[in-house]
Amino acid sequence: MVEVTVTPQSSLADQPVQIRVRGLSPSQLVTLRAWLKDEQGECFQSRAFFRADGAGEVDPGLQAALGGSYSGVWPMGLFWFLQPDTLFRRLVKRDVAGSPFHVQLEVLDGLSLGTDPWEQPLASCEAERWYVGPGVQRVPVREGRVRGALFLPP
C-alpha cells in the first residue's frame, strides 16, 4: 500500500517539512504533485518525477527529481515551484492570520504531465502552511502616508 506523508503536517510557510513516499516497487517511476487553491480559487501546482529507491521509497530531501517543475535535490521544491494554471497570476496570501494554505500532495504512477480528472493518485495527503504563528498579534499601522501591519510575537 502506497503512502505519502508530510512531517510536520501543520507548519509555518517558511519552515521546512519532510515529504516521504513509502510502499512503492523498487525503481518505480512516480510523479509527486503538489497543488493548492488560493483565496480567489485559482489553482497552483508543481510536479516532480522520481525513481523509487531499492526499498520502494522516495525522499525529495535526499533524491534528485528527474524533471517536472524542477530537477535536482530540492527538499522543498514542490512548495517553491508552485505555478498558476492561469498565466500572470501570483500566489499571494491575503488573510495571513486567519487561515493557512492547504497544500495537497499526491503520488501518481509513472510520469504524469497532465491533470486528467480520471487519473487517480496512488496516495495523497494534505499539508497546512501557516503565515502567522500562534499567539502573534497583528497591529495595523497608519502613520501619515505609511500603511502596513506590525506583527508582535507573544
Side-chain angles (χ1 to χ4, degrees):
M1 178 174 184
V2 178
E3 176 187 37
V4 60
T5 58
V6 58
T7 309
Q9 185 270 330
S10 183
S11 62
L12 291 174
D14 62 348
Q15 180 183 359
V17 296
Q18 182 182 36
I19 300 168
R20 297 285 303 265
V21 181
R22 294 182 180 92
L24 300 168
S25 301
S27 300
Q28 181 177 351
L29 279 173
V30 293
T31 301
L32 287 181
R33 183 172 77 133
W35 64 273
L36 65 85
K37 288 198 177 191
D38 70 4
E39 293 156 329
Q40 281 72 47
E42 185 65 40
C43 188
F44 290 77
Q45 62 179 314
S46 63
R47 67 187 66 239
F49 311 131
F50 291 93
R51 183 176 299 281
D53 64 13
E57 297 183 358
V58 171
D59 183 346
L62 300 174
Q63 295 167 260
L66 305 174
S69 301
Y70 66 94
S71 59
V73 179
W74 293 79
M76 297 295 295
L78 289 170
F79 295 94
W80 292 340
F81 290 96
L82 287 165
Q83 294 294 316
D85 284 353
T86 305
L87 292 177
F88 308 113
R89 298 286 186 158
R90 290 186 346 176
L91 184 57
V92 176
K93 183 72 172 135
R94 302 240 185 257
D95 179 18
V96 294
S99 64
F101 273 141
H102 296 274
V103 183
Q104 307 298 319
L105 297 166
E106 299 175 339
V107 181
L108 304 164
D109 190 26
L111 304 178
S112 173
L113 297 172
T115 56
D116 300 327
W118 61 85
E119 189 171 37
Q120 291 296 316
L122 299 173
S124 64
C125 70
E126 179 179 277
E128 287 184 354
R129 303 293 280 174
W130 289 89
Y131 282 77
V132 175
V136 173
Q137 180 184 3
R138 182 182 188 274
V139 179
V141 175
R142 295 180 69 94
E143 185 66 35
R145 294 179 9 192
V146 175
R147 302 289 182 266
L150 173 64
F151 292 89
L152 298 171

